[in-house]
Short mmCIF file of all heavy atoms in Angstrom, two decimals:
data_model
loop_
_atom_site.label_atom_id
_atom_site.label_comp_id
_atom_site.label_asym_id
_atom_site.label_seq_id
_atom_site.Cartn_x
_atom_site.Cartn_y
_atom_site.Cartn_z
N GLU A 57 -38.25 -16.64 -26.75
CA GLU A 57 -37.18 -17.62 -26.65
C GLU A 57 -36.57 -17.56 -25.27
O GLU A 57 -36.54 -16.49 -24.64
CB GLU A 57 -36.09 -17.35 -27.70
CG GLU A 57 -36.56 -17.52 -29.13
CD GLU A 57 -35.44 -17.27 -30.10
OE1 GLU A 57 -34.34 -16.91 -29.63
OE2 GLU A 57 -35.66 -17.42 -31.31
N ASP A 58 -36.10 -18.69 -24.81
CA ASP A 58 -35.40 -18.74 -23.53
C ASP A 58 -33.98 -18.27 -23.73
O ASP A 58 -33.22 -18.88 -24.50
CB ASP A 58 -35.43 -20.17 -22.96
CG ASP A 58 -36.85 -20.59 -22.60
OD1 ASP A 58 -37.64 -19.70 -22.23
OD2 ASP A 58 -37.15 -21.78 -22.69
N VAL A 59 -33.59 -17.22 -23.03
CA VAL A 59 -32.25 -16.65 -23.15
C VAL A 59 -31.58 -16.75 -21.80
O VAL A 59 -32.12 -16.28 -20.80
CB VAL A 59 -32.30 -15.17 -23.60
CG1 VAL A 59 -30.90 -14.60 -23.70
CG2 VAL A 59 -33.02 -15.06 -24.93
N SER A 60 -30.42 -17.36 -21.76
CA SER A 60 -29.65 -17.47 -20.52
C SER A 60 -28.77 -16.24 -20.37
O SER A 60 -28.00 -15.91 -21.26
CB SER A 60 -28.78 -18.73 -20.54
OG SER A 60 -27.89 -18.67 -21.62
N LEU A 61 -28.92 -15.57 -19.26
CA LEU A 61 -28.16 -14.36 -18.99
C LEU A 61 -26.95 -14.70 -18.15
O LEU A 61 -27.07 -15.29 -17.09
CB LEU A 61 -29.04 -13.34 -18.24
CG LEU A 61 -30.29 -12.88 -19.00
CD1 LEU A 61 -31.09 -11.93 -18.13
CD2 LEU A 61 -29.92 -12.21 -20.31
N ASP A 62 -25.80 -14.33 -18.65
CA ASP A 62 -24.55 -14.57 -17.93
C ASP A 62 -24.28 -13.39 -16.99
O ASP A 62 -23.45 -12.53 -17.27
CB ASP A 62 -23.40 -14.75 -18.92
CG ASP A 62 -22.15 -15.26 -18.25
OD1 ASP A 62 -22.22 -15.58 -17.04
OD2 ASP A 62 -21.10 -15.32 -18.92
N LEU A 63 -25.02 -13.36 -15.87
CA LEU A 63 -24.90 -12.24 -14.96
C LEU A 63 -23.58 -12.26 -14.22
O LEU A 63 -23.04 -11.22 -13.84
CB LEU A 63 -26.06 -12.26 -13.96
CG LEU A 63 -27.46 -12.10 -14.59
CD1 LEU A 63 -28.53 -12.17 -13.51
CD2 LEU A 63 -27.57 -10.79 -15.34
N GLY A 64 -23.04 -13.44 -13.97
CA GLY A 64 -21.78 -13.52 -13.25
C GLY A 64 -20.65 -12.88 -14.01
O GLY A 64 -19.83 -12.14 -13.46
N GLY A 65 -20.60 -13.13 -15.35
CA GLY A 65 -19.55 -12.52 -16.15
C GLY A 65 -19.67 -11.02 -16.20
O GLY A 65 -18.67 -10.30 -16.16
N GLU A 66 -20.91 -10.50 -16.28
CA GLU A 66 -21.09 -9.05 -16.30
C GLU A 66 -20.68 -8.42 -14.98
O GLU A 66 -20.10 -7.34 -14.94
CB GLU A 66 -22.55 -8.73 -16.62
CG GLU A 66 -22.97 -9.12 -18.04
CD GLU A 66 -24.42 -8.77 -18.31
OE1 GLU A 66 -25.08 -8.28 -17.37
OE2 GLU A 66 -24.88 -8.99 -19.44
N GLU A 67 -21.00 -9.10 -13.86
CA GLU A 67 -20.62 -8.56 -12.56
C GLU A 67 -19.10 -8.53 -12.40
O GLU A 67 -18.54 -7.57 -11.90
CB GLU A 67 -21.25 -9.40 -11.45
CG GLU A 67 -22.77 -9.25 -11.37
CD GLU A 67 -23.36 -10.14 -10.29
OE1 GLU A 67 -22.58 -10.89 -9.67
OE2 GLU A 67 -24.57 -10.08 -10.08
N GLU A 68 -18.43 -9.59 -12.85
CA GLU A 68 -16.97 -9.62 -12.77
C GLU A 68 -16.35 -8.54 -13.65
O GLU A 68 -15.39 -7.88 -13.27
CB GLU A 68 -16.46 -11.00 -13.19
CG GLU A 68 -16.80 -12.10 -12.19
CD GLU A 68 -16.26 -13.43 -12.63
OE1 GLU A 68 -15.65 -13.47 -13.72
OE2 GLU A 68 -16.44 -14.43 -11.91
N LEU A 69 -16.93 -8.34 -14.85
CA LEU A 69 -16.40 -7.32 -15.75
C LEU A 69 -16.60 -5.92 -15.17
O LEU A 69 -15.71 -5.07 -15.24
CB LEU A 69 -17.08 -7.44 -17.11
CG LEU A 69 -16.57 -6.52 -18.22
CD1 LEU A 69 -15.10 -6.79 -18.47
CD2 LEU A 69 -17.37 -6.70 -19.49
N ALA A 70 -17.79 -5.67 -14.57
CA ALA A 70 -18.03 -4.37 -13.95
C ALA A 70 -17.10 -4.14 -12.77
O ALA A 70 -16.59 -3.03 -12.56
CB ALA A 70 -19.48 -4.27 -13.52
N LEU A 71 -16.88 -5.19 -11.97
CA LEU A 71 -15.97 -5.05 -10.83
C LEU A 71 -14.55 -4.81 -11.29
O LEU A 71 -13.81 -4.02 -10.70
CB LEU A 71 -16.03 -6.33 -9.98
CG LEU A 71 -15.15 -6.36 -8.74
CD1 LEU A 71 -15.60 -5.29 -7.76
CD2 LEU A 71 -15.19 -7.72 -8.08
N ARG A 72 -14.17 -5.44 -12.39
CA ARG A 72 -12.82 -5.26 -12.91
C ARG A 72 -12.60 -3.86 -13.46
O ARG A 72 -11.51 -3.30 -13.36
CB ARG A 72 -12.55 -6.31 -13.99
CG ARG A 72 -11.13 -6.30 -14.52
CD ARG A 72 -10.91 -7.48 -15.45
NE ARG A 72 -9.61 -7.38 -16.08
CZ ARG A 72 -8.49 -7.80 -15.55
NH1 ARG A 72 -8.49 -8.32 -14.35
NH2 ARG A 72 -7.35 -7.70 -16.20
N LYS A 73 -13.66 -3.26 -14.03
CA LYS A 73 -13.51 -1.95 -14.64
C LYS A 73 -13.65 -0.81 -13.64
O LYS A 73 -12.99 0.20 -13.74
CB LYS A 73 -14.54 -1.78 -15.76
CG LYS A 73 -14.24 -2.59 -17.00
CD LYS A 73 -15.26 -2.30 -18.07
CE LYS A 73 -14.93 -3.06 -19.37
NZ LYS A 73 -15.91 -2.80 -20.42
N ALA A 74 -14.57 -0.96 -12.69
CA ALA A 74 -15.00 0.20 -11.91
C ALA A 74 -14.19 0.43 -10.65
O ALA A 74 -13.99 1.57 -10.26
CB ALA A 74 -16.48 0.05 -11.56
N GLN A 75 -13.75 -0.61 -9.97
CA GLN A 75 -13.24 -0.46 -8.62
C GLN A 75 -11.73 -0.47 -8.58
O GLN A 75 -11.06 -1.04 -9.45
CB GLN A 75 -13.78 -1.57 -7.72
CG GLN A 75 -15.27 -1.49 -7.47
CD GLN A 75 -15.72 -2.54 -6.48
OE1 GLN A 75 -14.93 -3.35 -6.02
NE2 GLN A 75 -16.99 -2.53 -6.15
N ILE A 76 -11.19 0.17 -7.54
CA ILE A 76 -9.78 0.05 -7.18
C ILE A 76 -9.73 -0.77 -5.90
O ILE A 76 -10.14 -0.30 -4.83
CB ILE A 76 -9.14 1.43 -6.99
CG1 ILE A 76 -9.08 2.17 -8.33
CG2 ILE A 76 -7.73 1.30 -6.42
CD1 ILE A 76 -8.48 3.56 -8.24
N ARG A 77 -9.30 -1.99 -5.99
CA ARG A 77 -9.37 -2.92 -4.88
C ARG A 77 -8.23 -2.73 -3.89
O ARG A 77 -8.29 -3.22 -2.77
CB ARG A 77 -9.39 -4.36 -5.41
CG ARG A 77 -10.56 -4.65 -6.33
CD ARG A 77 -10.56 -6.07 -6.84
NE ARG A 77 -10.72 -7.01 -5.75
CZ ARG A 77 -9.81 -7.94 -5.43
NH1 ARG A 77 -8.68 -8.02 -6.12
NH2 ARG A 77 -10.02 -8.77 -4.44
N HIS A 78 -7.15 -2.05 -4.30
CA HIS A 78 -6.00 -1.82 -3.41
C HIS A 78 -5.66 -0.33 -3.42
O HIS A 78 -4.68 0.08 -4.05
CB HIS A 78 -4.80 -2.65 -3.86
CG HIS A 78 -5.09 -4.11 -3.99
ND1 HIS A 78 -5.49 -4.68 -5.19
CD2 HIS A 78 -5.04 -5.12 -3.08
CE1 HIS A 78 -5.67 -5.98 -5.01
NE2 HIS A 78 -5.41 -6.27 -3.75
N PRO A 79 -6.46 0.49 -2.74
CA PRO A 79 -6.22 1.94 -2.80
C PRO A 79 -4.90 2.36 -2.16
O PRO A 79 -4.22 3.27 -2.64
CB PRO A 79 -7.42 2.53 -2.04
CG PRO A 79 -7.92 1.43 -1.19
CD PRO A 79 -7.65 0.16 -1.92
N LEU A 80 -4.50 1.69 -1.06
CA LEU A 80 -3.25 2.07 -0.40
C LEU A 80 -2.04 1.75 -1.27
O LEU A 80 -1.11 2.57 -1.40
CB LEU A 80 -3.15 1.35 0.95
CG LEU A 80 -2.09 1.86 1.93
CD1 LEU A 80 -2.39 3.31 2.31
CD2 LEU A 80 -2.03 0.99 3.17
N ALA A 81 -2.04 0.57 -1.88
CA ALA A 81 -0.94 0.21 -2.77
C ALA A 81 -0.91 1.10 -4.01
O ALA A 81 0.17 1.49 -4.47
CB ALA A 81 -1.07 -1.26 -3.18
N THR A 82 -2.08 1.46 -4.52
CA THR A 82 -2.14 2.36 -5.67
C THR A 82 -1.58 3.74 -5.32
O THR A 82 -0.87 4.37 -6.11
CB THR A 82 -3.58 2.48 -6.17
OG1 THR A 82 -4.10 1.18 -6.44
CG2 THR A 82 -3.65 3.32 -7.44
N PHE A 83 -1.89 4.21 -4.11
CA PHE A 83 -1.40 5.52 -3.68
C PHE A 83 0.12 5.53 -3.55
O PHE A 83 0.80 6.41 -4.08
CB PHE A 83 -2.06 5.89 -2.34
CG PHE A 83 -1.46 7.11 -1.69
CD1 PHE A 83 -1.77 8.37 -2.17
CD2 PHE A 83 -0.59 6.98 -0.62
CE1 PHE A 83 -1.22 9.50 -1.57
CE2 PHE A 83 -0.04 8.10 -0.01
CZ PHE A 83 -0.35 9.36 -0.50
N PHE A 84 0.67 4.52 -2.86
CA PHE A 84 2.11 4.50 -2.65
C PHE A 84 2.89 4.14 -3.91
O PHE A 84 4.09 4.40 -3.99
CB PHE A 84 2.48 3.54 -1.52
CG PHE A 84 2.26 4.13 -0.16
CD1 PHE A 84 1.19 3.72 0.62
CD2 PHE A 84 3.11 5.10 0.34
CE1 PHE A 84 0.98 4.27 1.87
CE2 PHE A 84 2.91 5.65 1.60
CZ PHE A 84 1.83 5.24 2.37
N HIS A 85 2.21 3.53 -4.90
CA HIS A 85 2.88 3.27 -6.17
C HIS A 85 3.27 4.58 -6.86
O HIS A 85 4.30 4.65 -7.53
CB HIS A 85 1.96 2.46 -7.08
CG HIS A 85 2.52 2.22 -8.44
ND1 HIS A 85 3.58 1.36 -8.67
CD2 HIS A 85 2.20 2.74 -9.66
CE1 HIS A 85 3.87 1.36 -9.95
NE2 HIS A 85 3.05 2.18 -10.57
N LEU A 86 2.44 5.62 -6.68
CA LEU A 86 2.71 6.91 -7.29
C LEU A 86 3.34 7.91 -6.33
O LEU A 86 3.98 8.88 -6.77
CB LEU A 86 1.42 7.51 -7.86
CG LEU A 86 0.73 6.71 -8.97
CD1 LEU A 86 -0.58 7.37 -9.35
CD2 LEU A 86 1.63 6.55 -10.18
N PHE A 87 3.14 7.71 -5.02
CA PHE A 87 3.55 8.73 -4.06
C PHE A 87 5.06 8.94 -4.05
O PHE A 87 5.55 10.07 -4.18
CB PHE A 87 3.07 8.34 -2.65
CG PHE A 87 3.57 9.25 -1.58
CD1 PHE A 87 3.03 10.53 -1.41
CD2 PHE A 87 4.58 8.85 -0.72
CE1 PHE A 87 3.50 11.38 -0.42
CE2 PHE A 87 5.06 9.69 0.27
CZ PHE A 87 4.51 10.95 0.42
N PHE A 88 5.84 7.88 -3.91
CA PHE A 88 7.29 8.02 -3.76
C PHE A 88 7.93 8.57 -5.03
O PHE A 88 8.78 9.46 -4.98
CB PHE A 88 7.92 6.69 -3.37
CG PHE A 88 7.57 6.24 -1.99
CD1 PHE A 88 6.90 5.05 -1.77
CD2 PHE A 88 7.92 7.01 -0.88
CE1 PHE A 88 6.58 4.64 -0.48
CE2 PHE A 88 7.61 6.60 0.41
CZ PHE A 88 6.93 5.42 0.60
N ARG A 89 7.52 8.06 -6.19
CA ARG A 89 8.17 8.50 -7.42
C ARG A 89 7.76 9.92 -7.80
O ARG A 89 8.60 10.71 -8.27
CB ARG A 89 7.91 7.52 -8.56
CG ARG A 89 6.47 7.19 -8.81
CD ARG A 89 6.34 6.12 -9.90
NE ARG A 89 7.15 4.97 -9.59
CZ ARG A 89 7.75 4.22 -10.52
NH1 ARG A 89 7.62 4.51 -11.80
NH2 ARG A 89 8.49 3.19 -10.17
N VAL A 90 6.49 10.27 -7.58
CA VAL A 90 6.08 11.65 -7.86
C VAL A 90 6.71 12.61 -6.86
O VAL A 90 7.11 13.73 -7.23
CB VAL A 90 4.54 11.74 -7.84
CG1 VAL A 90 4.08 13.19 -7.96
CG2 VAL A 90 3.94 10.91 -8.98
N SER A 91 6.82 12.19 -5.60
CA SER A 91 7.47 13.04 -4.59
C SER A 91 8.93 13.28 -4.92
O SER A 91 9.46 14.39 -4.71
CB SER A 91 7.33 12.40 -3.21
OG SER A 91 5.98 12.26 -2.83
N ALA A 92 9.61 12.25 -5.44
CA ALA A 92 11.02 12.43 -5.82
C ALA A 92 11.15 13.44 -6.96
O ALA A 92 12.06 14.28 -6.96
CB ALA A 92 11.62 11.08 -6.22
#
Side-chain angles (χ1 to χ4, degrees):
E57 295 181 357
D58 293 330
V59 180
S60 61
L61 299 178
D62 191 6
L63 297 179
E66 293 181 357
E67 291 178 357
E68 290 181 359
L69 185 60
L71 180 64
R72 185 173 173 84
K73 287 183 177 180
Q75 292 185 358
I76 293 179
R77 301 180 63 242
H78 305 93
L80 194 62
T82 305
F83 171 76
F84 281 106
H85 176 71
L86 299 176
F87 174 75
F88 291 119
R89 53 184 53 213
V90 173
S91 299

